[in-house]
Amino acid sequence: MSVRNRPGSSPMPACQPSAFSRQPPRVLIVDTSPPWWSETGAILCEALDNFLTLASSLEGPSRLPLLSVYAVNLQQECLLPFVQVKGNLVRLRLCVDELRSLPGEGCVRPRGFLLRRAVLDSLQQYRQYSSHHVHAGSGGGSGSGSKASGTSVEVTVITSQPGRALMRELEAGLKDSELGSLRRLLVVQISPQQQPMAGEQGWTPDAPSPEDSEEGLMLGTEMDLQVVESSVVAVESVLKAWLHEQAGEREHLHLLLPRVLQHASGPPHADGPRKPSPICLKCDMQERLLSPSLLPSASAPHLATKTESVRDFQPHGKGPANHRPPPQTLRVVKTLHADGVCESVLYGLPLIIRPTICWQLDWDEIETNQQLFHALCHTLREHEWFLLVRTEPAVGSALASAASVSTYYVLQPSPSLSLLLLKPVVTQELLLPCSMPDSNQDPPLSALITVENSLQSLEEDPVFNPLCLGTNLYPHLRMRSLASRPAHPYRRQAQAQTQTLTHSRGHGAGVSPGGQSQCREPPVRPPEGSMARQSHGRQSQQARARATVAPLPPPSGPPAKSSRPPLTFSKPSSSSCLGESDDDDDLIMML
């Protein structure tokens, strides 16, 4: 049974946050047989420790829901049963420590049946785990059990033995086994050489061997072999492939090209000329890097999570609100050739860098600084260079330590102006593996002609001007604001205040909460001279109560125009002017 025909897979909308809900559980089987383990054990454990630290710290939807780890030496051993990865770093690191403690000395004959037994044991463990969660979900009324049982597991075997022979042995041993819950079996061979061996040149995850393809179809599951070099970065790349969105039941993107008239050699249609047919390219999307916003908030501010404004670029520090942080310091690390920088490793919004015009600096210093900045931009343009820069922590701050996180940027010169463009660049910790297709071969002539005719029908702009683009943003914001605004805000406010005033008057009249009137004592006659103050107090309370009630909205139609009384200017008396001239009087009349 192939993967696409296995039950339990349903189409899923692309580019949705729920896409990671179909991530398969993972099983990692490590071949720790000496003497290979003594050569690759330290590299694998460091790469696994780094990967689990990153995967367990990511926020958002879980990209690696469950993980189980097996070690195979003289016997198979389950170091880690199925556990959740997110937020479980302590348990995961204990498993890595147990893997480090396994001995690597001696010589053991390779036993392929132990790897086969570990694969079958992991599938049995997953079925028990899914069955347990199904019963727990049915008893508790949650849907976690059905969700766990609707997916299949992926098994990865890491070894230093020859990968092709091990793959044949696994395929022969698993041929008669029940593999309904196995989605994919990947064999990763760690080669001590820098390049894959001569016998493994054609082996990549996307290109299986032609001579073993028939046996792979007979097994009924997807089997791949991948050869990597013996380095921490290479092994990390294999593990980071688990963080990609794995649901491939539906394409992610439809790219529409202009319609092209199809030139048919057959007889013309009776209804008229042939209509142009649309060109729709169906594509898949893949992440190139992990966004720093997925990291914990304590680490994200130091990794250039946002570059929307200058404030995002300033150093983050604690202090009073009116405290101005010191300027950010960037140290130039190296120069880069412009044609050697891939745009896929740049992220975030760019910021424009220009020479300062701060008024607190001397004029001579400002002029010298502008000249040096202009010389830098000119030199970078002449040599077609970019600059790789790194943030420097402030001197004496808590971040200036060995555990401080650094951020790297790329400075690009403007083709015509004395300006620089600052863009964040990804580092190895957040970079995801990506399989690049080979583009050395020319496309077929028919497809090339179709695409060229389609693109030639488009309007061509020699210089891109973003001011010519509109997104209908202003009407959209107006509609959202008017839709969220109440129909008669003043009327609702008046009704609420009227009810409040009536309620307060009811309590003042002596009405009890139960609705029964209370006996009031006869009023005490105030002393002489207090009647005026009491009446004045009542008038002020009534005026204050009337002021709290908002007026009703005016009726429909134009409001009636009220006549404005004429302005009258009274001539100041002689006692207040103190001998001012007639010119002053004329000035008052003009004002």
Side-chain angles (χ1 to χ4, degrees):
M1 182 183 298
S2 62
V3 178
R4 65 184 62 184
N5 296 328
R6 183 177 291 118
S9 61
S10 58
M12 179 178 47
C15 302
Q16 296 292 332
S18 60
F20 291 100
S21 63
R22 300 292 299 181
Q23 294 293 99
R26 301 282 180 173
V27 176
L28 180 63
I29 302 176
V30 182
D31 183 9
T32 61
S33 303
W36 300 285
W37 181 245
S38 61
E39 301 175 358
T40 60
I43 295 175
L44 176 60
C45 291
E46 182 179 356
L48 185 60
D49 193 4
N50 296 340
F51 168 74
L52 294 179
T53 302
L54 178 64
S56 62
S57 304
L58 293 178
E59 298 180 354
S62 179
R63 297 167 180 253
L64 181 57
L66 299 173
L67 177 65
S68 178
V69 179
Y70 282 78
V72 175
N73 193 338
L74 296 177
Q75 59 182 1
Q76 63 175 15
E77 181 181 2
C78 181
L79 302 181
L80 181 70
F82 277 107
V83 296
Q84 295 184 356
V85 175
K86 189 174 182 179
N88 203 5
L89 181 59
V90 176
R91 181 66 183 91
L92 297 174
R93 295 206 66 188
L94 290 176
C95 172
V96 177
D97 292 339
E98 292 182 16
L99 198 60
R100 283 196 179 100
S101 63
L102 296 179
E105 294 80 12
C107 183
V108 177
R109 183 178 179 182
R111 298 181 180 182
F113 69 93
L114 290 178
L115 294 175
R116 174 180 58 86
R117 189 180 300 174
V119 172
L120 295 177
D121 186 76
S122 64
L123 297 180
Q124 178 65 24
Q125 180 195 167
Y126 177 67
R127 284 192 290 267
Q128 294 176 358
Y129 180 90
S130 302
S131 177
H132 172 72
H133 278 260
V134 165
H135 294 300
S138 60
S142 62
S144 60
S146 60
K147 180 179 177 181
S149 61
T151 57
S152 52
V153 68
E154 290 197 9
V155 179
T156 301
V157 179
I158 298 182
T159 182
S160 296
Q161 303 181 29
R164 180 174 299 182
L166 180 60
M167 192 172 181
R168 290 175 183 271
E169 188 174 357
L170 285 174
E171 197 170 14
L174 297 173
K175 185 176 298 183
D176 299 330
S177 304
E178 175 60 32
L179 303 177
S181 58
L182 179 60
R183 180 176 181 176
R184 185 191 181 198
L185 178 60
L186 174 63
V187 178
V188 179
Q189 176 188 349
I190 301 179
S191 175
Q193 302 177 2
Q194 296 295 328
Q195 298 294 334
M197 295 181 296
E200 313 288 351
Q201 287 289 340
W203 285 90
T204 60
D206 300 328
S209 175
E211 59 186 84
D212 294 336
S213 58
E214 295 183 359
E215 295 182 7
L217 293 177
M218 291 175 58
L219 183 60
T221 188
E222 183 180 357
M223 294 188 64
D224 294 320
L225 175 64
Q226 186 175 357
V227 181
V228 298
E229 63 181 18
S230 182
S231 66
V232 177
V233 176
V235 178
E236 269 190 52
S237 298
V238 176
L239 300 176
K240 286 181 180 178
W242 297 352
L243 302 179
H244 279 298
E245 197 268 322
Q246 301 293 330
E249 293 88 358
R250 187 176 180 181
E251 66 273 8
H252 295 160
L253 176 66
H254 287 180
L255 183 61
L256 300 180
L257 298 181
R259 300 173 180 267
V260 178
L261 181 61
Q262 297 288 345
H263 299 281
S265 58
H269 287 266
D271 299 337
R274 201 182 280 267
K275 294 183 179 180
S277 59
I279 301 177
C280 179
L281 303 182
K282 300 180 180 180
C283 311
D284 287 337
M285 303 178 67
Q286 190 179 41
E287 292 175 303
R288 189 65 180 100
L289 54 94
L290 292 173
S291 175
S293 61
L294 298 176
L295 298 176
S297 57
S299 303
H302 313 299
L303 286 175
T305 304
K306 298 188 301 181
T307 54
E308 282 83 359
S309 64
V310 180
R311 291 182 177 269
D312 299 329
F313 183 75
Q314 296 295 332
H316 296 265
K318 297 181 180 180
N322 57 355
H323 174 68
R324 299 283 298 180
Q328 180 68 271
T329 302
L330 297 179
R331 181 177 297 276
V332 178
V333 178
K334 62 176 65 175
T335 58
L336 307 173
H337 288 280
D339 55 355
V341 178
C342 181
E343 289 289 337
S344 65
V345 300
L346 305 178
Y347 67 95
L349 299 181
L351 293 176
I352 295 178
I353 308 298
R354 62 184 182 182
T356 184
I357 53 174
C358 180
W359 60 271
Q360 295 184 357
L361 300 179
D362 297 334
W363 286 108
D364 295 339
E365 185 177 359
I366 291 178
E367 184 178 1
T368 303
N369 182 74
Q370 290 182 351
Q371 293 175 358
L372 292 175
F373 191 90
H374 179 68
L376 174 62
C377 297
H378 179 77
T379 304
L380 295 178
R381 283 195 302 267
E382 288 293 326
H383 295 275
E384 297 183 354
W385 283 345
F386 291 167
L387 290 181
L388 180 65
V389 297
R390 181 187 61 213
T391 56
E392 292 289 324
V395 179
S397 64
L399 298 177
S401 61
S404 61
V405 180
S406 300
T407 306
Y408 288 85
Y409 297 87
V410 169
L411 285 176
Q412 304 178 5
S414 174
S416 57
L417 304 175
S418 292
L419 298 174
L420 295 175
L421 200 63
L422 182 74
K423 293 183 179 180
V425 62
V426 69
T427 56
Q428 66 172 2
E429 293 89 353
L430 301 179
L431 188 65
L432 293 178
C434 181
S435 57
M436 303 295 181
D438 188 10
S439 59
N440 295 329
Q441 299 180 357
D442 295 333
L445 183 59
S446 58
L448 186 61
I449 293 176
T450 301
V451 173
E452 286 182 352
N453 293 337
S454 175
L455 297 181
Q456 287 176 359
S457 62
L458 294 174
E459 181 182 358
E460 182 180 358
D461 286 343
V463 178
F464 172 68
N465 185 9
L467 298 178
C468 299
L469 302 179
T471 58
N472 202 29
L473 176 62
Y474 299 145
H476 175 72
L477 295 178
R478 295 190 193 101
M479 291 180 62
R480 288 180 57 90
S481 300
L482 295 178
S484 60
R485 183 181 179 182
H488 301 286
Y490 296 104
R491 183 174 302 173
R492 294 182 179 180
Q493 183 180 4
Q495 293 177 358
Q497 292 179 352
T498 304
Q499 294 177 0
T500 304
L501 182 60
T502 305
H503 183 69
S504 62
R505 287 179 178 177
H507 281 282
V511 180
S512 65
Q516 301 177 359
S517 61
Q518 300 176 355
C519 297
R520 293 181 297 178
E521 297 180 357
V524 181
R525 184 177 181 180
E528 297 181 359
S530 63
M531 294 299 296
R533 290 193 298 269
Q534 185 177 3
S535 61
H536 177 72
R538 290 179 180 177
Q539 293 178 1
S540 61
Q541 290 178 0
Q542 294 177 0
R544 190 180 301 111
R546 287 195 299 269
T548 57
V549 179
L552 294 177
S556 60
K561 296 184 178 179
S562 60
S563 59
R564 178 181 299 176
L567 299 176
T568 58
F569 297 92
S570 60
K571 188 173 182 180
S573 60
S574 59
S575 61
S576 61
C577 293
L578 297 178
E580 293 181 353
S581 61
D582 296 339
D583 296 340
D584 296 334
D585 298 338
D586 297 339
L587 179 60
I588 294 176
M589 293 298 295
M590 292 175 62
L591 294 175

